[in-house]
Structures are given as structure tokens and as C-alpha cells.
């Protein structure tokens, strides 16, 4: 195969790469917008679920073991912390995705 | 005019007798769940019936959906997660159709009821937890022990980790249900303004049009988020830490 034969294929490869690169950057931009959509709201739900879940578990255990209101208080605090923990995780995940997309 | 919350009322269509204190009537919610199942099933079946190398319109839609969910699983749960593709794809299609069918005027959005979303989230939660224990045995419990934490604070950290694991189905279901209820209520409220204000109603009418577009985005986005979180939970069960 001579260099003359090879040349148009190189050109095609380059154009294909360009076309693909262009497409990917457009995808990345839309992906960024999508993940930036209300990250505060995403994390907020996590906190609310933690507080509600902790209260529910505490109340259920209190009713079962007849220790009201000790476990309710304990699990309300633990649940709030767990909710914040989940919220931090969600935000970290969103930030990591943003970083990967550049 | 109907109030903004009346669209969420569950009405029995075929009343059935109570069984053990449970009302088993066929309701508008059941009807639209059935429509969602039939619609998504027919879409996939019709789209793949005459599969061609160069896909037609219907086949393209099915292939896009397949690729979308498959890459989501590969990115978030790894190659091993692909074994659970059928379940996750079904979940995605069901939620997506529930959200988008709810955009048809006069239809019923079954994802706007926490019973429905919580049942879905609880299924995911139980399935993933069982899977974790089957795959790793008792070692799955080390998921609740944060790496590198000093032993002294473990008695405090482990309960927090366990609770934060257990409230996952709550946040998963509340997120979907709150988004659907808030969006649909807002749309009805602005539509009500448009009717009540006469000529000036043009402004809220424009807002309603804009919200309708936004609602389609949210319908898709919430189906995406629900599925992506399912993949992340699946990832925890498949790969400890």
C-alpha cells in the first residue's frame, strides 16, 4: 500500500474523531445542566427523610418497649445525623459527576 | 372548576367487595398503572418485532431507552450490575410511563401517590439488601462500619450508618412523589388563575405553557433519578466499599 492510498483514510479518521469529539462535548454540556438541576432540593429530601425516618423508628420502638419518650429523642437525633450524612453523600456524588464531565 | 388537588383523588371504577378489611376495588390509579404496563410493553415489543440493522423510528426509541439504562447501570453499578438489567429497565419504564402518562389532560398520575412510590422503593430496598446478604453473607454488615474510623466512636457511627441505610427508601419515594404532586398542583393553580383573570389571564396562561414544558423535563428527570439511585444502591450490595 502506498502513502497515496492511505492518505484519504487518515483524513476520514480525523474527521470522524472531530465529529465524535464535537458530539461528546455537546452531551457533556447538557449533562452538566441536568445534574445541576436543584442539587439543594435533592439533598433537602435526604435530610427530611432522615429526620422522619429516625422519628418513626424511635416512636415505633418506644411503643413496643414502652420506654416513651427516651428512644424517640435518641433516634430523632441519630436520624437527623443520618439524614445529613445521606445529604452529604448525595452532594458528593453530584460534585463527582460534575468533575468527571469536566 | 375543580380544585388543584382534586386530580389526585382515587376513584373506584369497578367496586369490588372488601377482603380481610382491604378495599380491592379497581381504581383510576390501577387503570393508569395497567395502561403504563401495556404501553411500555407494546412499545418494546413493537419496536423490536422487525429488528433491522438501520432502525426505524420505533426501534430507535427502544434502542435509545435500552442504551440509556444500560450505560446508567454500567457507570453506577459496574459490569456485574448488568445481570439486573431486566429489573432496572422495567422499573425505569414503569416510572417514566407513570410520570409522562400523567401529563395527558384528564389522566391520573399514579406516581403522585406515596403508597405507589414507597412500594417501588421498598421493593428496591428489600431486593438490594437480600442480594447483599446472599452475595457477601454476614460480611455485608461491614457496609455499616465506616473505613478508617477510630474504634472509640464506632458505637455511635454504626447506628447512624444503619439508620442512614434504612431511610433510603423514604428519601427515594418522597423525592418522586413530592416532585409529581408539586408540579401538577402548580400547573392547576396557574391554570385556575388564567381562567379567573379574564383578559389579564394571558400572563398565567403563558406561565402554564412554560410549566407544562418543565413538567415533561421533571417527569423524565425523576424517572432517571429514581433509576440512578437504584443503581447506586445495587452497587453497594455488589461491591462492598
Amino acid at each position: 500500500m502506498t502513502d497515496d492510498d492511505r492518505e484519504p483514510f487518515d483524513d476520514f479518521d480525523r474527521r470522524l474523531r472531530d465529529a465524535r469529539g464535537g458530539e461528546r462535548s455537546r452531551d457533556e454540556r447538557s449533562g452538566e445542566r441536568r445534574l445541576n438541576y436543584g442539587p439543594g432540593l435533592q439533598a433537602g429530601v435526604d435530610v427530611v427523610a432522615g429526620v422522619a425516618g429516625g422519628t418513626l423508628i424511635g416512636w415505633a420502638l418506644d411503643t413496643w418497649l414502652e420506654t416513651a419518650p427516651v428512644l424517640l429523642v435518641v433516634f430523632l437525633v441519630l436520624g437527623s445525623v443520618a439524614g445529613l450524612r445521606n445529604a452529604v453523600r448525595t452532594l458528593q456524588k453530584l460534585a463527582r459527576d460534575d468533575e468527571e464531565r469536566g | 372548576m375543580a380544585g388543584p388537588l382534586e386530580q389526585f383523588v382515587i376513584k373506584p371504577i369497578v367496586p369490588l367487595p372488601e377482603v380481610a378489611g382491604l378495599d380491592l376495588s379497581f381504581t383510576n390509579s390501577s387503570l393508569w398503572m395497567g395502561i403504563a404496563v401495556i404501553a411500555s410493553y407494546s412499545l418494546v415489543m413493537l419496536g423490536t418485532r422487525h429488528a433491522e440493522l438501520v432502525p426505524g423510528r420505533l426501534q430507535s426509541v427502544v434502542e435509545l431507552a435500552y442504551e440509556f439504562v444500560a450505560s446508567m447501570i454500567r457507570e453506577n453499578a459496574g459490569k456485574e450490575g448488568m445481570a439486573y438489567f431486566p429489573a432496572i429497565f422495567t422499573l425505569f419504564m414503569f416510572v417514566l410511563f407513570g410520570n409522562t402518562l400523567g401529563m395527558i389532560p384528564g389522566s391520573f398520575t399514579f406516581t403522585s401517590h406515596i403508597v405507589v412510590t414507597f412500594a417501588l422503593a421498598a421493593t428496591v430496598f428489600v431486593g438490594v439488601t437480600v442480594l447483599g446478604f446472599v452475595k457477601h453473607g454476614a460480611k455485608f454488615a461491614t457496609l455499616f462500619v465506616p473505613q478508617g474510623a477510630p474504634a472509640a466512636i464506632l458505637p455511635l457511627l454504626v447506628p447512624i450508618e444503619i439508620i442512614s441505610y434504612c431511610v433510603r427508601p423514604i428519601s427515594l419515594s418522597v423525592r418522586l412523589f413530592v416532585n409529581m404532586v408539586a408540579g401538577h398542583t402548580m400547573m392547576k393553580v396557574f391554570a385556575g388563575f388564567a381562567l379567573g383573570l379574564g383578559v389579564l389571564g394571558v400572563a398565567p396562561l403563558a406561565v402554564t405553557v412554560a410549566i407544562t414544558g418543565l413538567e415533561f423535563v421533571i417527569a423524565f428527570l425523576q424517572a432517571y433519578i429514581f433509576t440512578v439511585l437504584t443503581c447506586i444502591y445495587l452497587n453497594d450490595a455488589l461491591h462492598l466499599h
Side-chain angles (χ1 to χ4, degrees), chain B residues 83-167:
Chain B
Y84 308 95
F85 175 84
I88 293 176
F89 185 73
T90 311
L91 192 67
F92 175 72
M93 290 306 260
F94 188 63
V95 176
L96 180 66
F97 271 77
N99 292 352
T100 43
L101 284 174
M103 293 302 294
I104 300 172
S107 73
F108 180 84
T109 323
F110 59 80
T111 42
S112 67
H113 278 262
I114 189 133
V115 216
V116 177
T117 58
F118 189 76
L120 290 173
T123 312
V124 169
F125 176 76
V126 172
V128 161
T129 310
V130 169
L131 179 72
F133 276 111
V134 168
K135 279 244 165 187
H136 302 281
K139 251 184 73 190
F140 184 62
T142 57
L143 183 73
F144 303 123
V145 184
Q147 275 176 325
I153 57 167
L154 278 185
L156 190 62
L157 277 184
V158 172
I160 289 175
E161 286 293 322
I162 292 177
I163 293 175
S164 80
Y165 183 83
C166 291
V167 297

Side-chain angles (χ1 to χ4, degrees), chain B residues 201-233:
Chain B
V202 177
L205 183 66
V207 175
T208 312
V209 173
I211 292 179
T212 308
L214 182 73
E215 274 303 290
F216 274 107
V217 176
I218 290 178
F220 175 77
L221 194 82
Q222 287 306 318
Y224 167 78
I225 289 178
F226 197 91
T227 323
V228 122
L229 286 171
T230 304
C231 292
I232 292 171
Y233 300 160

Side-chain angles (χ1 to χ4, degrees), chain A residues 37 42 85-86 89 93, chain B residues 76 161 164 175 221 232:
Chain A
Y37 175 82
Q42 305 304 327
R85 177 93 187 82
N86 275 346
R89 261 197 210 122
K93 158 93 179 119
Chain B
N76 293 294
E161 286 293 322
S164 80
R175 206 186 317 265
L221 194 82
I232 292 171

